[in-house]
Amino acid sequence: MLAIFDVEGVLLDAEFLPILAEKINKQDEIWAITRQGIEGKINWEEGLKRRIELLRGIDYQTCKEVSDSLKVMTGAKEACNALKAAGWKIMAVSGGFTIMTDRLKEELGLDYVYSNELLFKDGKLDGVTIEVDSDKSKSALIKIKEWNEKKENIVVVVDGANDIRLFDICGLGVAFRAQDMVKELATVTLEEKDLSKLIGLINKHYGLKIPVQTLA
């Protein structure tokens, strides 16, 4: 069994680039492009490059501080702990960056993470290497084949228009506090801001009894 999560807005309760943009007072421009991407109005890769271009020159330390300050989503640790204890594999596929996902991989015990990489030159933000594009399923399928996971045993938890191709490769698609177009394509929706509630949805769908430990 495999659970695949989006990162920003799902495993993390924040969007990295808009917060980073606040440091140089460009949050309005960044949010405008971010929103167009999430709503599927512009090509996602193009939007990402435009946002990085606006932020070029910010120093690495600022990027790291912002990334380390991003809060893990309520219930994310409980959900991941419960799935791991039940023998599941957990993957994250993010349009975000290794600077944030490396920490998350450790904190949540993720088996594998696909994400993009910010490029720095002389300690300043200079560009981006895009490993994960608008079709996140392409990245996910690499590991799915390697791990030999069956489609019906895969759960996908996402929130944005750039995630919906992942629904094509899963048995249970969960829209977590998501855009309307995502909800329409999902198997189930989860509106409550608590990712531990995912376990109940999984138990119901698969007839399982995975217990959830509440963290002190």
Side-chain angles (χ1 to χ4, degrees), residues 2-12 73 76 79-80 83 88 90-94 136 154-160 163-164 166-167 169-178 182 186-192 194-199 201-202:
L2 168 66
I4 302 175
F5 291 92
D6 178 27
V7 173
E8 291 167 282
V10 179
L11 290 179
L12 284 176
M73 182 62 73
C80 290
L83 292 171
W88 286 51
I90 305 177
M91 183 198 300
V93 186
S94 176
K136 290 184 175 180
I154 297 173
V155 176
V156 160
V157 188
V158 297
D159 71 337
D163 305 315
I164 54 179
L166 286 168
F167 284 156
I169 60 169
C170 71
L172 175 61
V174 182
F176 180 68
R177 306 178 72 244
V182 181
T187 321
V188 288
T189 60
L190 178 53
E191 286 302 331
E192 196 175 336
D194 180 354
L195 217 42
S196 70
K197 304 292 184 201
L198 171 70
I199 303 302
L201 297 177
I202 287 173

Short mmCIF file of all heavy atoms in Angstrom, two decimals, residues 2-12 73 76 79-80 83 88 90-94 136 154-160 163-164 166-167 169-178 182 186-192 194-199 201-202:
data_model
loop_
_atom_site.label_atom_id
_atom_site.label_comp_id
_atom_site.label_asym_id
_atom_site.label_seq_id
_atom_site.Cartn_x
_atom_site.Cartn_y
_atom_site.Cartn_z
N LEU A 2 0.42 2.27 -0.69
CA LEU A 2 1.22 3.48 -0.85
C LEU A 2 0.34 4.72 -0.74
O LEU A 2 -0.73 4.79 -1.33
CB LEU A 2 1.90 3.45 -2.24
CG LEU A 2 2.55 4.75 -2.75
CD1 LEU A 2 3.74 5.15 -1.89
CD2 LEU A 2 2.98 4.60 -4.20
N ALA A 3 0.80 5.70 0.02
CA ALA A 3 0.14 7.01 0.09
C ALA A 3 1.04 8.05 -0.55
O ALA A 3 2.24 8.11 -0.26
CB ALA A 3 -0.15 7.39 1.54
N ILE A 4 0.46 8.85 -1.45
CA ILE A 4 1.21 9.91 -2.13
C ILE A 4 0.60 11.26 -1.73
O ILE A 4 -0.60 11.48 -1.87
CB ILE A 4 1.14 9.76 -3.66
CG1 ILE A 4 1.68 8.39 -4.10
CG2 ILE A 4 1.90 10.89 -4.36
CD1 ILE A 4 1.53 8.11 -5.59
N PHE A 5 1.44 12.14 -1.23
CA PHE A 5 0.98 13.45 -0.77
C PHE A 5 1.59 14.59 -1.58
O PHE A 5 2.77 14.54 -1.93
CB PHE A 5 1.42 13.69 0.70
CG PHE A 5 0.73 12.81 1.70
CD1 PHE A 5 1.29 11.60 2.08
CD2 PHE A 5 -0.47 13.21 2.30
CE1 PHE A 5 0.68 10.79 3.03
CE2 PHE A 5 -1.09 12.41 3.25
CZ PHE A 5 -0.53 11.20 3.62
N ASP A 6 0.78 15.63 -1.80
CA ASP A 6 1.33 16.91 -2.22
C ASP A 6 1.95 17.52 -0.95
O ASP A 6 1.66 17.09 0.16
CB ASP A 6 0.19 17.79 -2.75
CG ASP A 6 0.66 19.17 -3.18
OD1 ASP A 6 1.84 19.31 -3.54
OD2 ASP A 6 -0.15 20.11 -3.13
N VAL A 7 2.79 18.53 -1.10
CA VAL A 7 3.47 19.09 0.06
C VAL A 7 2.86 20.41 0.53
O VAL A 7 2.25 20.47 1.60
CB VAL A 7 4.99 19.24 -0.20
CG1 VAL A 7 5.67 19.99 0.95
CG2 VAL A 7 5.62 17.85 -0.33
N GLU A 8 2.97 21.47 -0.27
CA GLU A 8 2.47 22.78 0.18
C GLU A 8 0.94 22.77 0.20
O GLU A 8 0.30 22.44 -0.78
CB GLU A 8 2.99 23.88 -0.74
CG GLU A 8 4.49 24.09 -0.58
CD GLU A 8 5.08 24.93 -1.68
OE1 GLU A 8 5.28 24.40 -2.78
OE2 GLU A 8 5.32 26.11 -1.45
N GLY A 9 0.38 23.09 1.36
CA GLY A 9 -1.06 23.07 1.52
C GLY A 9 -1.60 21.71 1.95
O GLY A 9 -2.78 21.58 2.27
N VAL A 10 -0.73 20.70 1.96
CA VAL A 10 -1.16 19.37 2.39
C VAL A 10 -0.27 18.89 3.55
O VAL A 10 -0.70 18.90 4.70
CB VAL A 10 -1.16 18.35 1.22
CG1 VAL A 10 -1.59 16.97 1.70
CG2 VAL A 10 -2.14 18.82 0.13
N LEU A 11 0.97 18.51 3.28
CA LEU A 11 1.87 18.12 4.39
C LEU A 11 2.39 19.34 5.14
O LEU A 11 2.70 19.27 6.32
CB LEU A 11 3.03 17.28 3.87
CG LEU A 11 2.69 15.86 3.38
CD1 LEU A 11 3.95 15.17 2.86
CD2 LEU A 11 2.02 15.03 4.47
N LEU A 12 2.51 20.46 4.41
CA LEU A 12 2.91 21.72 5.05
C LEU A 12 1.74 22.68 5.02
O LEU A 12 1.04 22.79 4.00
CB LEU A 12 4.09 22.36 4.31
CG LEU A 12 5.48 21.75 4.53
CD1 LEU A 12 6.49 22.46 3.63
CD2 LEU A 12 5.93 21.83 5.98
N MET A 73 1.52 20.44 8.59
CA MET A 73 0.06 20.46 8.67
C MET A 73 -0.44 19.71 9.91
O MET A 73 0.11 18.67 10.28
CB MET A 73 -0.53 19.82 7.41
CG MET A 73 -2.05 19.81 7.34
SD MET A 73 -2.78 21.48 7.31
CE MET A 73 -2.37 22.01 5.63
N ALA A 76 -0.56 15.77 10.24
CA ALA A 76 0.31 15.12 9.24
C ALA A 76 1.21 14.07 9.89
O ALA A 76 1.38 12.96 9.36
CB ALA A 76 1.15 16.16 8.51
N ALA A 79 -0.92 11.04 10.85
CA ALA A 79 -1.30 10.27 9.65
C ALA A 79 -0.12 9.44 9.14
O ALA A 79 -0.26 8.24 8.87
CB ALA A 79 -1.81 11.20 8.56
N CYS A 80 1.04 10.08 9.02
CA CYS A 80 2.22 9.38 8.51
C CYS A 80 2.66 8.27 9.46
O CYS A 80 3.00 7.16 9.02
CB CYS A 80 3.36 10.36 8.24
SG CYS A 80 3.04 11.46 6.84
N LEU A 83 0.27 5.29 9.10
CA LEU A 83 0.47 4.55 7.86
C LEU A 83 1.76 3.74 7.89
O LEU A 83 1.79 2.58 7.49
CB LEU A 83 0.47 5.51 6.66
CG LEU A 83 -0.87 6.17 6.34
CD1 LEU A 83 -0.70 7.26 5.29
CD2 LEU A 83 -1.90 5.15 5.88
N TRP A 88 2.71 0.78 5.39
CA TRP A 88 2.58 1.50 4.12
C TRP A 88 3.87 2.20 3.74
O TRP A 88 4.70 2.51 4.58
CB TRP A 88 1.49 2.57 4.23
CG TRP A 88 0.09 2.06 4.24
CD1 TRP A 88 -0.43 1.08 5.03
CD2 TRP A 88 -1.00 2.53 3.44
NE1 TRP A 88 -1.76 0.91 4.77
CE2 TRP A 88 -2.15 1.79 3.80
CE3 TRP A 88 -1.12 3.52 2.45
CZ2 TRP A 88 -3.39 1.99 3.21
CZ3 TRP A 88 -2.35 3.74 1.88
CH2 TRP A 88 -3.48 2.97 2.24
N ILE A 90 5.26 5.79 1.99
CA ILE A 90 4.76 7.16 1.84
C ILE A 90 5.68 7.95 0.90
O ILE A 90 6.90 7.97 1.09
CB ILE A 90 4.68 7.89 3.20
CG1 ILE A 90 3.84 7.08 4.19
CG2 ILE A 90 4.08 9.28 3.02
CD1 ILE A 90 3.78 7.70 5.57
N MET A 91 5.06 8.57 -0.09
CA MET A 91 5.80 9.38 -1.05
C MET A 91 5.23 10.80 -1.05
O MET A 91 4.02 10.98 -0.86
CB MET A 91 5.63 8.77 -2.45
CG MET A 91 6.41 9.48 -3.55
SD MET A 91 5.78 9.06 -5.22
CE MET A 91 6.01 7.30 -5.29
N ALA A 92 6.09 11.77 -1.24
CA ALA A 92 5.61 13.14 -1.46
C ALA A 92 6.07 13.57 -2.85
O ALA A 92 7.19 13.27 -3.26
CB ALA A 92 6.16 14.08 -0.41
N VAL A 93 5.18 14.25 -3.56
CA VAL A 93 5.53 14.80 -4.87
C VAL A 93 5.21 16.28 -4.82
O VAL A 93 4.06 16.68 -4.68
CB VAL A 93 4.73 14.12 -6.02
CG1 VAL A 93 5.24 14.62 -7.36
CG2 VAL A 93 4.85 12.61 -5.95
N SER A 94 6.25 17.10 -4.91
CA SER A 94 6.09 18.53 -4.67
C SER A 94 6.59 19.36 -5.84
O SER A 94 7.65 19.08 -6.41
CB SER A 94 6.88 18.91 -3.41
OG SER A 94 6.82 20.31 -3.21
N LYS A 136 2.56 15.59 -12.23
CA LYS A 136 3.28 14.97 -11.12
C LYS A 136 3.26 13.44 -11.19
O LYS A 136 4.10 12.78 -10.59
CB LYS A 136 2.67 15.42 -9.79
CG LYS A 136 2.94 16.88 -9.46
CD LYS A 136 2.39 17.23 -8.09
CE LYS A 136 2.76 18.65 -7.69
NZ LYS A 136 2.23 19.00 -6.38
N ILE A 154 -3.17 2.45 -4.08
CA ILE A 154 -2.50 3.75 -3.96
C ILE A 154 -3.53 4.83 -3.58
O ILE A 154 -4.58 4.93 -4.18
CB ILE A 154 -1.79 4.14 -5.28
CG1 ILE A 154 -0.69 3.12 -5.59
CG2 ILE A 154 -1.20 5.55 -5.19
CD1 ILE A 154 -0.04 3.30 -6.95
N VAL A 155 -3.18 5.60 -2.56
CA VAL A 155 -4.00 6.73 -2.10
C VAL A 155 -3.25 8.02 -2.44
O VAL A 155 -2.05 8.12 -2.20
CB VAL A 155 -4.24 6.66 -0.57
CG1 VAL A 155 -5.01 7.88 -0.09
CG2 VAL A 155 -4.97 5.38 -0.20
N VAL A 156 -3.97 9.00 -3.00
CA VAL A 156 -3.36 10.28 -3.36
C VAL A 156 -4.09 11.39 -2.59
O VAL A 156 -5.33 11.42 -2.57
CB VAL A 156 -3.46 10.50 -4.89
CG1 VAL A 156 -3.32 11.98 -5.24
CG2 VAL A 156 -2.42 9.68 -5.62
N VAL A 157 -3.33 12.30 -1.96
CA VAL A 157 -3.92 13.39 -1.17
C VAL A 157 -3.35 14.71 -1.68
O VAL A 157 -2.16 15.00 -1.52
CB VAL A 157 -3.60 13.24 0.34
CG1 VAL A 157 -4.40 14.27 1.14
CG2 VAL A 157 -3.89 11.83 0.82
N VAL A 158 -4.22 15.53 -2.32
CA VAL A 158 -3.75 16.75 -2.99
C VAL A 158 -4.76 17.89 -2.85
O VAL A 158 -5.89 17.68 -2.40
CB VAL A 158 -3.48 16.48 -4.50
CG1 VAL A 158 -2.38 15.46 -4.69
CG2 VAL A 158 -4.75 16.01 -5.21
N ASP A 159 -4.33 19.10 -3.31
CA ASP A 159 -5.23 20.25 -3.18
C ASP A 159 -5.34 21.15 -4.40
O ASP A 159 -6.24 21.98 -4.47
CB ASP A 159 -4.84 21.10 -1.96
CG ASP A 159 -3.52 21.84 -2.17
OD1 ASP A 159 -2.70 21.41 -3.01
OD2 ASP A 159 -3.29 22.86 -1.49
N GLY A 160 -4.43 21.03 -5.37
CA GLY A 160 -4.40 22.01 -6.47
C GLY A 160 -4.56 21.42 -7.86
O GLY A 160 -4.42 20.21 -8.07
N ASP A 163 -2.09 19.07 -9.43
CA ASP A 163 -1.93 17.74 -8.82
C ASP A 163 -2.84 16.68 -9.44
O ASP A 163 -2.69 15.49 -9.17
CB ASP A 163 -2.29 17.78 -7.32
CG ASP A 163 -1.50 18.82 -6.55
OD1 ASP A 163 -0.28 18.90 -6.75
OD2 ASP A 163 -2.10 19.55 -5.74
N ILE A 164 -3.82 17.12 -10.25
CA ILE A 164 -4.92 16.18 -10.57
C ILE A 164 -4.51 14.99 -11.42
O ILE A 164 -5.19 13.97 -11.38
CB ILE A 164 -6.13 16.91 -11.20
CG1 ILE A 164 -5.70 17.73 -12.41
CG2 ILE A 164 -6.84 17.78 -10.17
CD1 ILE A 164 -6.85 18.46 -13.09
N LEU A 166 -2.35 13.03 -10.76
CA LEU A 166 -2.07 11.95 -9.79
C LEU A 166 -3.31 11.08 -9.55
O LEU A 166 -3.20 9.91 -9.20
CB LEU A 166 -1.57 12.53 -8.46
CG LEU A 166 -0.14 13.08 -8.46
CD1 LEU A 166 0.11 13.89 -7.20
CD2 LEU A 166 0.89 11.97 -8.59
N PHE A 167 -4.50 11.66 -9.74
CA PHE A 167 -5.73 10.87 -9.55
C PHE A 167 -5.82 9.72 -10.57
O PHE A 167 -6.51 8.74 -10.33
CB PHE A 167 -6.97 11.76 -9.66
CG PHE A 167 -7.22 12.63 -8.46
CD1 PHE A 167 -7.97 13.80 -8.58
CD2 PHE A 167 -6.74 12.29 -7.20
CE1 PHE A 167 -8.22 14.61 -7.47
CE2 PHE A 167 -6.98 13.10 -6.09
CZ PHE A 167 -7.72 14.26 -6.23
N ILE A 169 -3.61 7.66 -11.29
CA ILE A 169 -2.75 6.51 -10.95
C ILE A 169 -3.08 5.92 -9.58
O ILE A 169 -2.29 5.16 -9.02
CB ILE A 169 -1.25 6.91 -11.00
CG1 ILE A 169 -0.93 8.03 -10.01
CG2 ILE A 169 -0.86 7.32 -12.41
CD1 ILE A 169 0.54 8.28 -9.81
N CYS A 170 -4.28 6.29 -9.03
CA CYS A 170 -4.58 5.81 -7.69
C CYS A 170 -5.95 5.14 -7.60
O CYS A 170 -6.78 5.29 -8.49
CB CYS A 170 -4.50 6.96 -6.68
SG CYS A 170 -5.86 8.13 -6.82
N GLY A 171 -6.16 4.43 -6.49
CA GLY A 171 -7.44 3.80 -6.22
C GLY A 171 -8.34 4.68 -5.38
O GLY A 171 -9.57 4.58 -5.44
N LEU A 172 -7.72 5.55 -4.57
CA LEU A 172 -8.47 6.47 -3.71
C LEU A 172 -7.86 7.86 -3.83
O LEU A 172 -6.71 8.08 -3.46
CB LEU A 172 -8.41 6.00 -2.24
CG LEU A 172 -9.06 6.91 -1.18
CD1 LEU A 172 -10.55 7.10 -1.44
CD2 LEU A 172 -8.84 6.35 0.22
N GLY A 173 -8.63 8.80 -4.39
CA GLY A 173 -8.16 10.18 -4.56
C GLY A 173 -8.82 11.08 -3.54
O GLY A 173 -10.05 11.18 -3.50
N VAL A 174 -8.02 11.74 -2.71
CA VAL A 174 -8.55 12.59 -1.64
C VAL A 174 -8.24 14.06 -1.95
O VAL A 174 -7.08 14.43 -2.13
CB VAL A 174 -7.94 12.21 -0.27
CG1 VAL A 174 -8.53 13.09 0.84
CG2 VAL A 174 -8.15 10.73 0.04
N ALA A 175 -9.31 14.87 -2.00
CA ALA A 175 -9.13 16.32 -2.16
C ALA A 175 -9.10 16.93 -0.75
O ALA A 175 -10.09 16.91 -0.04
CB ALA A 175 -10.29 16.90 -2.96
N PHE A 176 -7.93 17.44 -0.36
CA PHE A 176 -7.76 17.99 0.99
C PHE A 176 -7.86 19.50 0.94
O PHE A 176 -6.99 20.19 0.41
CB PHE A 176 -6.39 17.56 1.55
CG PHE A 176 -6.11 18.08 2.94
CD1 PHE A 176 -6.84 17.63 4.03
CD2 PHE A 176 -5.12 19.01 3.15
CE1 PHE A 176 -6.59 18.11 5.31
CE2 PHE A 176 -4.84 19.50 4.43
CZ PHE A 176 -5.59 19.04 5.51
N ARG A 177 -8.98 20.05 1.47
CA ARG A 177 -9.20 21.50 1.51
C ARG A 177 -8.84 22.09 0.14
O ARG A 177 -8.07 23.04 0.04
CB ARG A 177 -8.37 22.13 2.63
CG ARG A 177 -8.61 21.47 3.97
CD ARG A 177 -7.76 22.03 5.10
NE ARG A 177 -8.21 23.35 5.46
CZ ARG A 177 -7.49 24.47 5.33
NH1 ARG A 177 -6.28 24.43 4.85
NH2 ARG A 177 -7.99 25.63 5.69
N ALA A 178 -9.45 21.52 -0.89
CA ALA A 178 -8.95 21.72 -2.25
C ALA A 178 -9.78 22.67 -3.10
O ALA A 178 -10.88 23.07 -2.73
CB ALA A 178 -8.87 20.35 -2.94
N VAL A 182 -10.60 20.16 -8.24
CA VAL A 182 -9.95 18.99 -7.64
C VAL A 182 -11.01 18.13 -6.93
O VAL A 182 -11.03 16.91 -7.07
CB VAL A 182 -8.85 19.41 -6.65
CG1 VAL A 182 -8.16 18.20 -6.04
CG2 VAL A 182 -7.82 20.30 -7.34
N ALA A 186 -12.01 14.06 -7.35
CA ALA A 186 -11.57 13.20 -6.25
C ALA A 186 -12.62 12.13 -5.93
O ALA A 186 -13.80 12.28 -6.25
CB ALA A 186 -11.31 14.04 -5.01
N THR A 187 -12.17 11.06 -5.27
CA THR A 187 -13.09 10.03 -4.76
C THR A 187 -13.82 10.58 -3.54
O THR A 187 -15.02 10.41 -3.39
CB THR A 187 -12.31 8.76 -4.33
OG1 THR A 187 -11.24 8.50 -5.24
CG2 THR A 187 -13.23 7.55 -4.28
N VAL A 188 -13.04 11.21 -2.65
CA VAL A 188 -13.60 11.79 -1.43
C VAL A 188 -12.95 13.15 -1.16
O VAL A 188 -11.87 13.42 -1.65
CB VAL A 188 -13.39 10.89 -0.18
CG1 VAL A 188 -14.26 9.66 -0.22
CG2 VAL A 188 -11.92 10.52 -0.01
N THR A 189 -13.63 13.99 -0.36
CA THR A 189 -13.03 15.26 0.01
C THR A 189 -12.88 15.32 1.53
O THR A 189 -13.66 14.71 2.27
CB THR A 189 -13.91 16.46 -0.43
OG1 THR A 189 -15.18 16.34 0.19
CG2 THR A 189 -14.09 16.49 -1.93
N LEU A 190 -11.85 16.02 1.96
CA LEU A 190 -11.61 16.22 3.39
C LEU A 190 -11.46 17.72 3.60
O LEU A 190 -10.49 18.33 3.16
CB LEU A 190 -10.33 15.47 3.82
CG LEU A 190 -9.87 15.59 5.26
CD1 LEU A 190 -10.97 15.22 6.25
CD2 LEU A 190 -8.65 14.70 5.51
N GLU A 191 -12.47 18.32 4.22
CA GLU A 191 -12.48 19.77 4.42
C GLU A 191 -11.84 20.18 5.74
O GLU A 191 -11.33 21.28 5.88
CB GLU A 191 -13.91 20.31 4.36
CG GLU A 191 -14.51 20.36 2.96
CD GLU A 191 -13.70 21.20 1.97
OE1 GLU A 191 -13.04 22.16 2.39
OE2 GLU A 191 -13.74 20.87 0.78
N GLU A 192 -11.90 19.28 6.72
CA GLU A 192 -11.37 19.62 8.05
C GLU A 192 -9.86 19.74 7.98
O GLU A 192 -9.19 18.93 7.35
CB GLU A 192 -11.77 18.53 9.04
CG GLU A 192 -11.60 18.96 10.47
CD GLU A 192 -12.12 17.91 11.46
OE1 GLU A 192 -12.97 17.10 11.07
OE2 GLU A 192 -11.65 17.92 12.59
N ASP A 194 -7.22 18.81 9.31
CA ASP A 194 -6.59 17.83 10.18
C ASP A 194 -6.34 16.56 9.37
O ASP A 194 -7.25 15.80 9.07
CB ASP A 194 -7.50 17.52 11.38
CG ASP A 194 -6.89 16.50 12.33
OD1 ASP A 194 -5.81 15.95 12.00
OD2 ASP A 194 -7.49 16.23 13.38
N LEU A 195 -5.08 16.38 9.00
CA LEU A 195 -4.71 15.28 8.11
C LEU A 195 -4.87 13.91 8.76
O LEU A 195 -4.94 12.90 8.07
CB LEU A 195 -3.27 15.49 7.62
CG LEU A 195 -2.92 15.12 6.18
CD1 LEU A 195 -3.99 15.54 5.18
CD2 LEU A 195 -1.59 15.70 5.81
N SER A 196 -4.95 13.87 10.10
CA SER A 196 -5.13 12.56 10.76
C SER A 196 -6.50 11.96 10.40
O SER A 196 -6.69 10.75 10.47
CB SER A 196 -4.98 12.67 12.27
OG SER A 196 -6.07 13.38 12.84
N LYS A 197 -7.45 12.82 9.97
CA LYS A 197 -8.78 12.34 9.56
C LYS A 197 -8.70 11.49 8.29
O LYS A 197 -9.64 10.78 7.94
CB LYS A 197 -9.74 13.51 9.30
CG LYS A 197 -9.91 14.46 10.47
CD LYS A 197 -10.64 13.81 11.63
CE LYS A 197 -10.88 14.80 12.75
NZ LYS A 197 -11.11 14.16 14.03
N LEU A 198 -7.57 11.59 7.59
CA LEU A 198 -7.36 10.78 6.39
C LEU A 198 -7.44 9.29 6.71
O LEU A 198 -7.94 8.49 5.91
CB LEU A 198 -5.98 11.12 5.79
CG LEU A 198 -5.50 10.22 4.66
CD1 LEU A 198 -6.34 10.45 3.41
CD2 LEU A 198 -4.02 10.50 4.37
N ILE A 199 -6.94 8.91 7.88
CA ILE A 199 -6.89 7.49 8.25
C ILE A 199 -8.29 6.88 8.29
O ILE A 199 -8.51 5.76 7.83
CB ILE A 199 -6.15 7.28 9.60
CG1 ILE A 199 -4.73 7.87 9.53
CG2 ILE A 199 -6.09 5.80 9.96
CD1 ILE A 199 -3.83 7.32 8.43
N LEU A 201 -10.83 7.83 6.47
CA LEU A 201 -11.26 7.69 5.08
C LEU A 201 -10.63 6.45 4.44
O LEU A 201 -11.29 5.71 3.70
CB LEU A 201 -10.87 8.93 4.26
CG LEU A 201 -11.51 10.27 4.67
CD1 LEU A 201 -10.95 11.41 3.83
CD2 LEU A 201 -13.03 10.21 4.55
N ILE A 202 -9.35 6.22 4.75
CA ILE A 202 -8.65 5.05 4.22
C ILE A 202 -9.26 3.77 4.80
O ILE A 202 -9.53 2.80 4.08
CB ILE A 202 -7.14 5.14 4.54
CG1 ILE A 202 -6.47 6.20 3.64
CG2 ILE A 202 -6.45 3.78 4.37
CD1 ILE A 202 -5.03 6.50 3.96
#
